[in-house]
Amino acid sequence: GQQLNQSPQSMFIQEGEDVSMNCTSSSIFNTWLWYKQDPGEGPVLLIALYKAGELTSNGRLTAQFGITRKDSFLNISASIPSDVGIYFCAGQFQETSGSRLTFGEGTQLTVNP
Amino acid sequence: DGGITQSPKYLFRKEGQNVTLSCEQNLNHDAMYWYRQDPGQGLRLIYYSQIVNDFQKGDIAEGYSVSREKKESFPLTVTSAQKNPTAFYLCASSMAFNQPQHFGDGTRLSIL
């Protein structure tokens, strides 16, 4: 089946620093999603990307859909303590039987004040 | 407010017992999903339903069962056949099957 490699697995940064994480796939996707999960809660959708090369921002977050359709990255600028959490990428490819969402294993972000 | 409600937040199961996790949504979404999350891992799909009265197995369906009798409800039963049920269970829904999924706050299941 489809596999997503998300990196890095964890990051420890100082408040105010910029952060970058990425996902690569063994196959093509036509949708990339980025989620954030706080401890003990469900993931919250941050950004959705639908077109190769698309660059989308949501406040301090910027995500891009790779031109090869096999990768995506998420940047967080000027990090703050509430950015702490697990960030998941997810890719989706429309098949004849319906699309399935495949998740990366997450990037654990720690922000030191 | 519109959203996805999972209950209970915490659930304990005795050996050999079936337990049912509730998931309700008032978003008028057609598709609903159940995922299992283990520590340090991503989300694995258990079952999904594209429309009411229809559901399909995901990647790890063994030991689980579901029903979709109403559009707003998609309960998950963890049966005694699931030998390692301790995990965080997440329910999600989307407007249609190829639309972004939105998640509930999860149910943490533990074995007594």
Side-chain angles (χ1 to χ4, degrees), chain B residues 62-79:
Chain B
E62 185 174 354
Y64 301 97
S65 66
V66 294
S67 63
R68 186 85 188 278
E69 297 175 0
K70 297 187 296 183
K71 185 175 185 177
E72 60 270 22
S73 179
F74 192 40
L76 173 73
T77 296
V78 183
T79 74

Side-chain angles (χ1 to χ4, degrees), chain A residues 88-105:
Chain A
F88 289 100
C89 63
Q92 193 165 26
F93 182 73
Q94 182 74 49
E95 301 169 350
T96 55
S97 61
S99 58
R100 296 278 296 270
L101 198 59
T102 302
F103 284 85
E105 293 190 350

Side-chain angles (χ1 to χ4, degrees), chain A residues 56-111:
Chain A
T56 298
S57 293
N58 178 7
R60 294 179 294 105
L61 277 61
T62 301
Q64 184 161 27
F65 192 140
I67 198 72
T68 65
R69 297 171 63 193
K70 291 185 177 182
D71 61 341
S72 177
F73 72 75
L74 175 71
N75 285 342
I76 305 173
S77 63
S79 58
I80 59 178
S82 62
D83 290 334
V84 166
I86 303 176
Y87 291 81
F88 289 100
C89 63
Q92 193 165 26
F93 182 73
Q94 182 74 49
E95 301 169 350
T96 55
S97 61
S99 58
R100 296 278 296 270
L101 198 59
T102 302
F103 284 85
E105 293 190 350
T107 295
Q108 174 74 61
L109 178 64
T110 302
V111 180

Side-chain angles (χ1 to χ4, degrees), chain B residues 7-13 19-21 107-111:
Chain B
S7 62
K9 183 73 172 173
Y10 299 94
L11 186 59
F12 298 91
R13 194 192 90 170
V19 291
T20 298
L21 284 60
T107 292
R108 187 166 299 282
L109 175 62
S110 302
I111 299 301

Side-chain angles (χ1 to χ4, degrees), chain A residues 9 31 33 35 37 40-45 48 50 86 88 92 94 97-101 103-106, chain B residues 9 35 37 40-43 45 48 50 57-59 88 90 97-106 108:
Chain A
Q9 281 188 324
T31 299
L33 307 173
Y35 290 87
Q37 184 178 28
E41 298 182 11
V44 174
L45 182 64
Y50 299 104
I86 303 176
F88 289 100
Q92 193 165 26
Q94 182 74 49
S97 61
S99 58
R100 296 278 296 270
L101 198 59
F103 284 85
E105 293 190 350
Chain B
K9 183 73 172 173
Y35 291 90
Q37 186 177 27
Q41 297 189 27
L43 280 63
L45 183 64
Y48 63 98
Q50 297 190 49
K57 293 181 179 179
D59 300 320
F88 191 49
L90 286 160
F97 193 53
N98 62 350
Q99 297 297 308
Q101 295 175 26
H102 300 269
F103 287 83
D105 279 340
R108 187 166 299 282

